[in-house]
Amino acid sequence: MAARDIIIKPLLSEKSYAGIKDKKYSFVVAKNANKTEIKLAIEEIFGVSVEKVNTAIVSGKLKRQGKYEGYTPDYKKAIVQLKQDSKSIEFFDSLS
């Protein structure tokens, strides 16, 4: 799989904003990607050094629209911890 197919989009939430100062960044990733593939994709795309990767499968929430109900899609998220001597990711610098 190509690096751009593994990293789908950044995950922007209050909890992810709090981790930016510690060089922890959150991303939505492909469900079948493992930690090693995610690490290599982040290093290739952003040119940084990754220390560790934590992943979690997030279940979809139940949503209602009138009498109809359904679930939002499940997704996999990755929290990436960069090394202290690594540069930060420029995209997140404007958010902190």
Side-chain angles (χ1 to χ4, degrees):
M1 236 198 307
R4 303 248 180 221
D5 294 334
I6 294 172
I7 309 300
I8 297 172
K9 64 181 180 179
L11 187 61
L12 304 175
S13 64
E14 283 188 42
K15 194 170 187 178
S16 66
Y17 288 143
I20 292 175
K21 62 179 170 29
D22 298 328
K23 292 190 176 182
K24 283 188 177 180
Y25 303 102
S26 301
F27 296 94
V28 176
V29 296
K31 272 188 158 181
N32 58 351
N34 61 33
K35 291 182 181 186
T36 307
E37 292 173 338
I38 294 168
K39 177 182 177 178
L40 294 174
I42 294 290
E43 289 177 344
E44 180 183 328
I45 293 171
F46 298 108
V48 295
S49 299
V50 175
E51 185 175 343
K52 68 178 185 176
V53 177
N54 294 330
T55 59
I57 302 283
V58 180
S59 299
K61 294 181 181 179
L62 179 66
K63 296 289 184 178
R64 292 191 46 192
Q65 181 71 35
K67 67 177 183 175
Y68 302 103
E69 60 183 27
Y71 286 89
T72 59
D74 298 344
Y75 63 93
K76 185 175 192 174
K77 74 176 178 178
I79 296 105
V80 177
Q81 172 71 50
L82 301 184
K83 293 181 180 175
Q84 290 300 328
D85 59 346
S86 175
K87 67 178 183 125
S88 61
I89 298 176
E90 294 87 16
F91 174 80
F92 291 97
D93 288 341
S94 62
L95 301 176
S96 59

